[in-house]
Amino acid sequence: MIEIPSDLHKDLVPLAFLLGNWAGAGVHDFPGSEKCNFGQEVTFTHDGRDFLEYQSHSWVLDKDGNKVRPLESEHGYWRIDADRKVEVTMTRDDGVIEIWYGELADKKPQIDLVTDAVARTAASQPYTGGKRLYGYVKSDLMWVGEKQTPEVELRPYMSAHLKKVVTPEEVERWAKALPDDMPDDGIAFFK
């Protein structure tokens, strides 16, 4: 279920499916880097202005699913215009700053993005651009990222399947919203 907060800026309603805290796992595979499974936490928040704030932290997982070390972190801002065009500014922990443009698909919660500009610090690894696809599928957030360098053509390098994280405050709010005549035996609920 997609909730639209009452204080969400009206222009951001088409992006409401992104809001919240998400966690899950995925696969990282790019030439010159270690192929690994990773864990990820992603947060999309808003403060009433015309953008979503985005944060992502990922870490390498061992074969048992335990955290080994950080993989990458990103921070950015997402906007959308009346024509469903999406723009994202993003800073990554490896010294890369990107501007992404794309659009929200028609009649489904899916966003395709392509880098428009890339700036790198002297310490960052070679990187010339990328593509990303985000989709809300059966209440989960899924994404795939592609990247290219001067040596490697554009290719997938990361993808993840994320589930919504429910906070105790959300559970309390939902519990207070339940009708007074809810069945208490658990069976009547399904009849």
Side-chain angles (χ1 to χ4, degrees):
M1 180 173 79
I2 299 172
E3 287 189 46
I4 301 174
S6 60
D7 60 341
L8 183 66
H9 191 284
K10 64 179 177 54
D11 294 350
L12 296 175
V13 170
L15 298 181
F17 71 93
L18 294 170
L19 286 170
N21 298 309
W22 303 88
V27 177
H28 177 275
D29 183 14
F30 195 75
S33 299
E34 171 189 10
K35 181 177 180 177
C36 65
N37 291 335
F38 67 90
Q40 184 177 29
E41 293 175 348
V42 171
T43 302
F44 285 93
T45 59
H46 74 95
D47 65 6
R49 292 182 282 176
D50 68 344
F51 59 83
L52 297 182
E53 185 172 357
Y54 161 80
Q55 291 186 44
S56 169
H57 299 282
S58 60
W59 53 90
V60 174
L61 297 175
D62 67 16
K63 62 180 173 61
D64 298 319
N66 300 308
K67 289 182 181 181
V68 175
R69 67 182 170 285
L71 182 61
E72 41 178 67
S73 296
E74 303 173 330
H75 191 115
Y77 300 92
W78 294 53
R79 288 181 169 82
I80 187 167
D81 69 16
D83 296 321
R84 305 174 68 85
K85 303 295 183 204
V86 178
E87 70 174 36
V88 178
T89 57
M90 191 178 308
T91 303
R92 294 203 263 160
D93 64 348
D94 63 355
V96 172
I97 300 170
E98 301 158 297
I99 297 175
W100 298 78
Y101 285 104
E103 66 183 288
L104 179 63
D106 190 32
K107 299 181 183 173
K108 61 182 173 180
Q110 177 180 309
I111 300 168
D112 285 290
L113 296 170
V114 177
T115 51
D116 180 67
V118 174
R120 299 183 311 109
T121 63
S124 70
Q125 297 293 316
Y127 171 69
T128 55
K131 292 174 75 174
R132 291 208 185 166
L133 172 64
Y134 290 83
Y136 185 76
V137 181
K138 297 181 180 175
S139 299
D140 293 345
L141 184 61
M142 302 173 96
W143 72 272
V144 61
E146 298 179 53
K147 77 176 184 178
Q148 66 186 24
T149 70
E151 296 81 28
V152 180
E153 291 185 22
L154 186 68
R155 68 177 296 272
Y157 83 105
M158 281 181 99
S159 61
H161 184 156
L162 309 173
K163 300 238 177 233
K164 190 83 168 247
V165 177
V166 180
T167 67
E169 293 79 21
E170 290 171 312
V171 171
E172 182 179 351
R173 184 171 42 88
W174 294 339
K176 288 179 180 176
L178 288 173
D180 292 333
D181 61 348
M182 285 288 290
D184 59 3
D185 63 5
I187 295 170
F189 184 74
F190 295 99
K191 290 184 178 179

